[in-house]
Coordinates of all heavy atoms in Angstrom, one line a residue:
M5 N -15.6 -0.1 -6.2 CA -15.2 -0.8 -5.0 C -15.0 0.2 -3.8 O -14.3 1.2 -4.0 CB -13.8 -1.4 -5.3 CG -13.3 -2.2 -4.2 SD -11.8 -3.1 -4.9 CE -11.5 -4.2 -3.6
P6 N -15.7 0.0 -2.7 CA -15.6 0.9 -1.6 C -14.3 1.0 -0.9 O -14.1 2.0 -0.2 CB -16.8 0.5 -0.7 CG -17.1 -0.9 -1.1 CD -16.6 -1.1 -2.5
I7 N -13.4 0.1 -1.0 CA -12.1 0.2 -0.4 C -11.1 0.8 -1.4 O -10.9 0.3 -2.4 CB -11.6 -1.2 0.1 CG1 -12.5 -1.9 1.1 CG2 -10.2 -1.1 0.7 CD1 -12.7 -1.2 2.4
R8 N -10.5 1.9 -1.0 CA -9.6 2.6 -1.8 C -8.2 2.4 -1.2 O -8.0 2.5 0.0 CB -9.9 4.1 -1.9 CG -11.1 4.3 -2.8 CD -11.3 5.8 -3.0 NE -11.7 6.5 -1.8 CZ -13.0 6.7 -1.5 NH1 -14.0 6.2 -2.2 NH2 -13.3 7.3 -0.4
V9 N -7.2 2.3 -2.1 CA -5.8 2.2 -1.7 C -5.1 3.5 -2.0 O -5.1 3.9 -3.2 CB -5.1 0.9 -2.4 CG1 -3.7 0.8 -1.9 CG2 -5.9 -0.3 -2.1
N10 N -4.5 4.1 -1.0 CA -3.9 5.4 -1.2 C -2.4 5.4 -1.3 O -1.7 6.3 -0.9 CB -4.3 6.3 0.0 CG -5.8 6.6 0.0 OD1 -6.4 6.8 -1.1 ND2 -6.4 6.6 1.1
L11 N -1.8 4.3 -1.8 CA -0.4 4.2 -1.9 C 0.2 5.3 -2.8 O 1.3 5.8 -2.5 CB 0.0 2.8 -2.4 CG 0.2 1.7 -1.4 CD1 0.5 0.4 -2.0 CD2 1.2 2.1 -0.3
D12 N -0.4 5.6 -3.9 CA 0.1 6.7 -4.7 C 0.3 8.0 -4.0 O 1.4 8.6 -4.1 CB -0.8 7.0 -5.9 CG -0.8 5.9 -7.0 OD1 0.2 5.2 -7.1 OD2 -1.7 5.8 -7.7
V13 N -0.6 8.4 -3.2 CA -0.5 9.6 -2.4 C 0.6 9.5 -1.4 O 1.4 10.4 -1.3 CB -1.9 9.9 -1.6 CG1 -1.8 11.1 -0.7 CG2 -3.0 10.0 -2.6
I14 N 0.7 8.4 -0.7 CA 1.7 8.2 0.3 C 3.1 8.2 -0.3 O 4.1 8.8 0.2 CB 1.5 7.0 1.2 CG1 0.1 7.2 2.0 CG2 2.6 6.7 2.2 CD1 -0.3 5.9 2.7
L15 N 3.2 7.5 -1.4 CA 4.5 7.4 -2.1 C 4.9 8.8 -2.6 O 6.1 9.2 -2.5 CB 4.5 6.5 -3.3 CG 4.5 5.0 -2.9 CD1 4.2 4.1 -4.2 CD2 5.8 4.6 -2.3
A16 N 4.0 9.6 -3.1 CA 4.3 11.0 -3.5 C 4.8 11.8 -2.3 O 5.7 12.6 -2.4 CB 3.1 11.6 -4.2
Q17 N 4.1 11.7 -1.2 CA 4.4 12.5 0.0 C 5.8 12.1 0.5 O 6.6 13.0 1.0 CB 3.4 12.2 1.1 CG 2.1 12.8 0.8 CD 1.0 12.4 1.9 OE1 1.2 11.4 2.6 NE2 -0.1 13.1 1.9
R18 N 6.2 10.8 0.4 CA 7.5 10.4 0.9 C 8.6 10.5 -0.2 O 9.7 10.1 0.0 CB 7.4 8.9 1.3 CG 6.3 8.5 2.3 CD 6.6 9.2 3.6 NE 5.7 8.7 4.7 CZ 4.5 9.1 5.0 NH1 3.9 10.0 4.2 NH2 3.8 8.6 6.0
K19 N 8.2 10.9 -1.4 CA 9.1 11.0 -2.6 C 9.8 9.6 -2.8 O 11.0 9.6 -2.9 CB 10.1 12.1 -2.4 CG 9.4 13.5 -2.4 CD 10.4 14.6 -2.3 CE 9.9 15.9 -2.5 NZ 9.1 16.5 -1.4
M20 N 9.0 8.6 -2.8 CA 9.5 7.2 -2.9 C 9.0 6.5 -4.1 O 7.8 6.7 -4.4 CB 9.2 6.4 -1.6 CG 9.7 5.0 -1.5 SD 9.2 4.3 0.0 CE 10.8 3.8 0.7
S21 N 9.8 5.8 -4.8 CA 9.3 5.1 -6.0 C 8.7 3.7 -5.6 O 8.9 3.2 -4.5 CB 10.5 4.8 -6.9 OG 11.4 3.9 -6.4
V22 N 7.9 3.2 -6.5 CA 7.3 1.8 -6.3 C 8.4 0.8 -6.2 O 8.4 -0.1 -5.4 CB 6.4 1.5 -7.5 CG1 5.9 0.1 -7.4 CG2 5.2 2.5 -7.5
T23 N 9.5 1.0 -7.0 CA 10.6 0.0 -7.0 C 11.3 0.0 -5.6 O 11.6 -1.0 -5.1 CB 11.6 0.4 -8.1 OG1 10.9 0.4 -9.3 CG2 12.7 -0.6 -8.1
A24 N 11.5 1.2 -5.1 CA 12.2 1.3 -3.8 C 11.3 0.7 -2.7 O 11.8 0.0 -1.8 CB 12.5 2.8 -3.5
L25 N 10.0 1.0 -2.7 CA 9.1 0.4 -1.7 C 9.0 -1.1 -1.8 O 9.1 -1.8 -0.8 CB 7.7 1.0 -1.9 CG 6.6 0.5 -0.9 CD1 7.0 0.8 0.5 CD2 5.3 1.1 -1.2
A26 N 9.0 -1.6 -3.1 CA 8.9 -3.1 -3.3 C 10.2 -3.7 -2.7 O 10.1 -4.8 -2.0 CB 8.8 -3.4 -4.8
E27 N 11.3 -3.1 -2.9 CA 12.6 -3.7 -2.3 C 12.6 -3.6 -0.8 O 13.0 -4.6 -0.1 CB 13.8 -2.9 -2.9 CG 14.0 -3.2 -4.4 CD 15.2 -2.4 -5.0 OE1 15.8 -1.6 -4.2 OE2 15.4 -2.5 -6.2
A28 N 12.1 -2.5 -0.3 CA 12.1 -2.3 1.2 C 11.2 -3.3 1.9 O 11.4 -3.7 3.0 CB 11.8 -0.9 1.5
V29 N 10.0 -3.6 1.2 CA 9.0 -4.4 1.8 C 9.2 -5.9 1.5 O 8.6 -6.8 2.1 CB 7.6 -3.9 1.4 CG1 6.5 -4.8 1.9 CG2 7.4 -2.5 1.9
D30 N 10.1 -6.1 0.5 CA 10.4 -7.5 0.0 C 9.1 -8.1 -0.6 O 8.6 -9.2 -0.2 CB 10.9 -8.4 1.1 CG 11.5 -9.7 0.5 OD1 12.0 -9.6 -0.6 OD2 11.5 -10.7 1.2
I31 N 8.5 -7.3 -1.6 CA 7.4 -7.8 -2.3 C 7.7 -7.5 -3.8 O 8.5 -6.6 -4.1 CB 6.1 -7.0 -1.9 CG1 4.8 -7.5 -2.5 CG2 6.2 -5.5 -2.1 CD1 3.6 -6.9 -2.0
T32 N 7.1 -8.3 -4.7 CA 7.4 -8.0 -6.1 C 6.7 -6.8 -6.6 O 5.7 -6.3 -6.0 CB 6.9 -9.2 -7.0 OG1 5.5 -9.2 -6.9 CG2 7.5 -10.5 -6.6
I33 N 7.3 -6.1 -7.6 CA 6.7 -4.9 -8.1 C 5.3 -5.2 -8.7 O 4.4 -4.4 -8.6 CB 7.7 -4.3 -9.2 CG1 9.0 -3.8 -8.5 CG2 7.0 -3.2 -9.9 CD1 10.0 -3.4 -9.5
A34 N 5.2 -6.4 -9.3 CA 3.9 -6.8 -9.9 C 2.8 -6.8 -8.8 O 1.7 -6.3 -9.0 CB 4.0 -8.1 -10.6
N35 N 3.1 -7.4 -7.7 CA 2.1 -7.5 -6.6 C 1.9 -6.2 -5.9 O 0.7 -5.8 -5.6 CB 2.6 -8.5 -5.5 CG 2.4 -10.0 -6.0 OD1 1.6 -10.2 -6.8 ND2 3.1 -10.9 -5.4
L36 N 2.9 -5.4 -5.8 CA 2.7 -4.0 -5.3 C 1.9 -3.2 -6.2 O 1.0 -2.4 -5.8 CB 4.1 -3.4 -5.0 CG 4.0 -2.0 -4.3 CD1 3.3 -2.2 -2.9 CD2 5.4 -1.5 -4.1
S37 N 2.1 -3.3 -7.5 CA 1.3 -2.6 -8.5 C -0.2 -3.0 -8.4 O -1.1 -2.1 -8.6 CB 1.8 -2.8 -9.9 OG 3.1 -2.2 -10.0
K38 N -0.5 -4.3 -8.3 CA -1.8 -4.7 -8.1 C -2.5 -4.1 -6.9 O -3.6 -3.7 -6.9 CB -1.9 -6.3 -8.0 CG -1.7 -7.0 -9.3 CD -1.8 -8.5 -9.1 CE -1.5 -9.2 -10.3 NZ -1.6 -10.7 -10.1
L39 N -1.8 -4.1 -5.8 CA -2.3 -3.4 -4.6 C -2.5 -1.9 -4.8 O -3.6 -1.4 -4.5 CB -1.3 -3.7 -3.4 CG -1.7 -3.1 -2.1 CD1 -3.0 -3.6 -1.6 CD2 -0.6 -3.3 -1.1
K40 N -1.5 -1.3 -5.4 CA -1.6 0.1 -5.7 C -2.8 0.5 -6.5 O -3.4 1.6 -6.3 CB -0.3 0.6 -6.3 CG -0.1 2.1 -6.4 CD 1.3 2.4 -6.9 CE 1.4 2.1 -8.3 NZ 1.4 3.2 -9.2
T41 N -3.1 -0.3 -7.5 CA -4.2 0.0 -8.4 C -5.6 -0.5 -7.9 O -6.6 -0.2 -8.6 CB -4.0 -0.6 -9.8 OG1 -3.8 -2.0 -9.7 CG2 -2.7 0.1 -10.5
G42 N -5.6 -1.1 -6.8 CA -6.8 -1.6 -6.2 C -7.3 -2.9 -6.8 O -8.4 -3.3 -6.6
K43 N -6.4 -3.6 -7.6 CA -6.8 -4.9 -8.2 C -6.5 -6.1 -7.4 O -6.9 -7.2 -7.7 CB -6.1 -5.0 -9.6 CG -6.6 -4.0 -10.6 CD -5.9 -4.1 -11.9 CE -6.4 -3.0 -12.8 NZ -5.8 -3.1 -14.1
A44 N -5.9 -5.9 -6.2 CA -5.6 -7.0 -5.3 C -6.8 -7.4 -4.6 O -7.7 -6.6 -4.3 CB -4.5 -6.6 -4.3
K45 N -7.0 -8.7 -4.4 CA -8.2 -9.2 -3.8 C -8.0 -9.3 -2.2 O -9.0 -9.3 -1.5 CB -8.5 -10.6 -4.3 CG -8.8 -10.7 -5.7 CD -10.1 -10.1 -6.0 CE -10.4 -10.2 -7.5 NZ -11.5 -9.4 -8.0
A46 N -6.7 -9.3 -1.8 CA -6.5 -9.4 -0.4 C -5.1 -8.9 -0.1 O -4.3 -8.7 -1.0 CB -6.5 -10.9 0.1
I47 N -4.8 -8.6 1.2 CA -3.5 -8.3 1.6 C -3.2 -8.9 3.0 O -4.1 -9.0 3.8 CB -3.3 -6.7 1.7 CG1 -1.9 -6.4 2.1 CG2 -4.3 -6.1 2.7 CD1 -1.5 -4.9 2.0
R48 N -2.0 -9.5 3.1 CA -1.7 -10.1 4.4 C -1.3 -9.0 5.4 O -0.8 -8.0 5.1 CB -0.5 -11.0 4.2 CG -0.7 -12.2 3.4 CD 0.5 -13.1 3.2 NE 0.2 -14.2 2.4 CZ 1.0 -15.2 2.2 NH1 2.2 -15.2 2.7 NH2 0.6 -16.2 1.4
F49 N -1.7 -9.3 6.6 CA -1.4 -8.4 7.7 C 0.1 -8.2 7.8 O 0.6 -7.0 8.1 CB -1.9 -8.9 9.1 CG -3.4 -8.6 9.2 CD1 -4.2 -9.6 9.8 CD2 -4.0 -7.5 8.8 CE1 -5.5 -9.4 10.0 CE2 -5.4 -7.3 8.9 CZ -6.1 -8.2 9.5
S50 N 0.9 -9.2 7.6 CA 2.4 -9.0 7.6 C 2.9 -8.1 6.6 O 3.8 -7.3 6.8 CB 3.1 -10.4 7.5 OG 2.7 -11.0 6.3
T51 N 2.3 -8.1 5.4 CA 2.6 -7.2 4.3 C 2.2 -5.8 4.7 O 2.9 -4.8 4.5 CB 2.0 -7.6 3.0 OG1 2.4 -8.9 2.7 CG2 2.4 -6.6 1.9
L52 N 1.0 -5.6 5.2 CA 0.5 -4.3 5.6 C 1.3 -3.7 6.7 O 1.7 -2.5 6.7 CB -1.0 -4.5 6.1 CG -1.7 -3.2 6.4 CD1 -1.7 -2.2 5.3 CD2 -3.1 -3.5 6.9
E53 N 1.8 -4.6 7.6 CA 2.7 -4.1 8.7 C 4.0 -3.6 8.1 O 4.5 -2.6 8.6 CB 2.9 -5.3 9.7 CG 3.8 -4.9 10.8 CD 4.1 -6.1 11.7 OE1 3.5 -7.2 11.6 OE2 5.1 -6.0 12.5
K54 N 4.6 -4.3 7.2 CA 5.8 -3.9 6.6 C 5.6 -2.6 5.8 O 6.5 -1.7 5.9 CB 6.3 -5.0 5.6 CG 6.9 -6.2 6.3 CD 7.3 -7.2 5.2 CE 7.6 -8.6 5.8 NZ 8.0 -9.6 4.8
L55 N 4.5 -2.5 5.1 CA 4.3 -1.2 4.4 C 4.2 0.0 5.4 O 4.8 1.0 5.1 CB 2.9 -1.3 3.6 CG 3.0 -2.1 2.3 CD1 1.5 -2.4 1.8 CD2 3.8 -1.5 1.3
C56 N 3.5 -0.2 6.5 CA 3.3 0.8 7.5 C 4.7 1.2 8.1 O 5.0 2.3 8.3 CB 2.3 0.4 8.6 SG 0.6 0.4 8.0
R57 N 5.5 0.2 8.4 CA 6.8 0.4 9.0 C 7.7 1.2 8.0 O 8.3 2.2 8.4 CB 7.5 -0.9 9.3 CG 8.8 -0.7 10.1 CD 9.4 -2.0 10.6 NE 8.5 -3.1 10.9 CZ 8.5 -4.2 10.3 NH1 9.3 -4.4 9.2 NH2 7.7 -5.2 10.6
V58 N 7.7 0.8 6.8 CA 8.6 1.5 5.8 C 8.1 2.9 5.5 O 8.9 3.9 5.4 CB 8.7 0.7 4.5 CG1 9.4 1.4 3.4 CG2 9.5 -0.6 4.8
L59 N 6.8 3.0 5.3 CA 6.2 4.3 5.0 C 5.9 5.2 6.2 O 5.5 6.4 6.0 CB 4.9 4.1 4.2 CG 5.1 3.4 2.8 CD1 3.7 3.1 2.3 CD2 5.8 4.3 1.9
E60 N 6.1 4.7 7.4 CA 5.9 5.4 8.6 C 4.5 6.0 8.7 O 4.3 7.2 8.8 CB 6.9 6.5 8.8 CG 8.3 6.0 8.9 CD 9.4 7.0 9.1 OE1 9.1 8.2 8.9 OE2 10.5 6.7 9.4
C61 N 3.5 5.1 8.5 CA 2.1 5.5 8.5 C 1.3 4.4 9.2 O 1.8 3.4 9.7 CB 1.6 5.7 7.1 SG 1.6 4.1 6.1
Q62 N 0.0 4.7 9.3 CA -1.0 3.7 9.9 C -1.7 3.0 8.8 O -1.8 3.5 7.6 CB -2.0 4.5 10.7 CG -1.4 5.2 12.0 CD -0.9 4.2 12.9 OE1 -1.5 3.2 13.3 NE2 0.4 4.4 13.4
P63 N -2.3 1.8 9.0 CA -3.1 1.1 8.0 C -4.2 2.0 7.4 O -4.5 1.9 6.2 CB -3.6 -0.1 8.8 CG -2.7 -0.3 9.9 CD -2.2 1.0 10.3
G64 N -4.8 2.8 8.2 CA -5.9 3.7 7.7 C -5.4 4.7 6.8 O -6.2 5.3 6.0
D65 N -4.1 5.0 6.7 CA -3.5 5.9 5.8 C -3.4 5.3 4.4 O -3.6 5.9 3.4 CB -2.1 6.4 6.2 CG -2.1 7.2 7.5 OD1 -3.2 7.8 7.8 OD2 -1.1 7.1 8.2
I66 N -3.3 4.0 4.4 CA -3.1 3.2 3.1 C -4.5 2.8 2.6 O -4.7 2.9 1.4 CB -2.2 2.0 3.3 CG1 -0.8 2.4 3.8 CG2 -2.2 1.1 2.1 CD1 0.1 1.3 4.2
L67 N -5.3 2.3 3.5 CA -6.6 1.7 3.1 C -7.7 2.7 3.6 O -7.7 3.1 4.7 CB -6.9 0.3 3.6 CG -5.8 -0.7 3.3 CD1 -6.1 -2.0 4.0 CD2 -5.8 -1.0 1.8
E68 N -8.7 3.0 2.7 CA -9.8 3.9 3.1 C -11.1 3.3 2.6 O -11.2 2.8 1.5 CB -9.5 5.2 2.4 CG -10.5 6.3 2.6 CD -10.2 7.6 1.9 OE1 -9.1 7.7 1.3 OE2 -11.0 8.4 1.9
Y69 N -12.1 3.4 3.4 CA -13.4 3.0 3.0 C -14.3 4.2 2.6 O -14.3 5.2 3.3 CB -14.1 2.2 4.2 CG -15.6 1.9 3.9 CD1 -15.9 0.8 3.1 CD2 -16.6 2.7 4.3 CE1 -17.2 0.5 2.8 CE2 -17.9 2.4 4.1 CZ -18.2 1.3 3.2 OH -19.5 1.0 2.9
G70 N -15.0 4.0 1.6 CA -15.9 5.1 1.1 C -17.0 4.6 0.3 O -16.9 3.6 -0.4
D71 N -18.2 5.1 0.5 CA -19.4 4.7 -0.3 C -19.2 5.3 -1.7 O -19.1 6.5 -1.9 CB -20.7 5.2 0.3 CG -21.0 4.4 1.6 OD1 -20.7 3.2 1.6 OD2 -21.6 5.0 2.5
D72 N -19.3 4.4 -2.7 CA -19.2 4.8 -4.1 C -20.6 4.6 -4.8 O -21.3 3.8 -4.5 CB -18.2 4.1 -4.9 CG -16.8 4.5 -4.5 OD1 -16.6 5.6 -3.9 OD2 -15.8 3.8 -4.8

C-alpha cells in the first residue's frame, strides 16, 4: 500500500501511548489501532484534525505517500 501511517513514530517522539491518544482524540483504541497499522480504509478529516491538534503535527507527518 503506497500510503503509510507514521503514528508509531510520532507517538514515540511524543512519548505518548495509544491509550492516551485515543482518549485525547475521542476515538476507540480499536479504530486507532486499525489506523496505526494501516488497515483502515479511510479517515475523516475531523479525526485527522484532532490527531494533528493533539500531536502538534501536520497531516503530512502522519500520512506519507511512497512507491512500493
Side-chain angles (χ1 to χ4, degrees):
M5 183 174 194
I7 301 292
R8 287 187 290 270
V9 181
N10 296 319
L11 274 177
D12 282 338
V13 174
I14 297 171
L15 285 172
Q17 290 172 343
R18 305 294 191 276
K19 295 181 171 81
M20 184 179 235
S21 70
V22 173
T23 304
L25 180 59
E27 289 175 4
V29 176
D30 194 29
I31 188 173
T32 66
I33 294 173
N35 284 338
L36 187 58
S37 292
K38 284 182 184 179
L39 179 61
K40 190 173 72 105
T41 59
K43 294 181 180 177
K45 300 288 183 194
I47 182 170
R48 292 181 180 184
F49 282 141
S50 59
T51 302
L52 185 57
E53 180 183 348
K54 289 177 188 177
L55 287 169
C56 289
R57 188 177 325 115
V58 170
L59 295 171
E60 298 178 348
C61 67
Q62 295 294 314
D65 298 329
I66 297 172
L67 303 173
E68 178 183 354
Y69 173 79
D71 289 325
D72 286 345

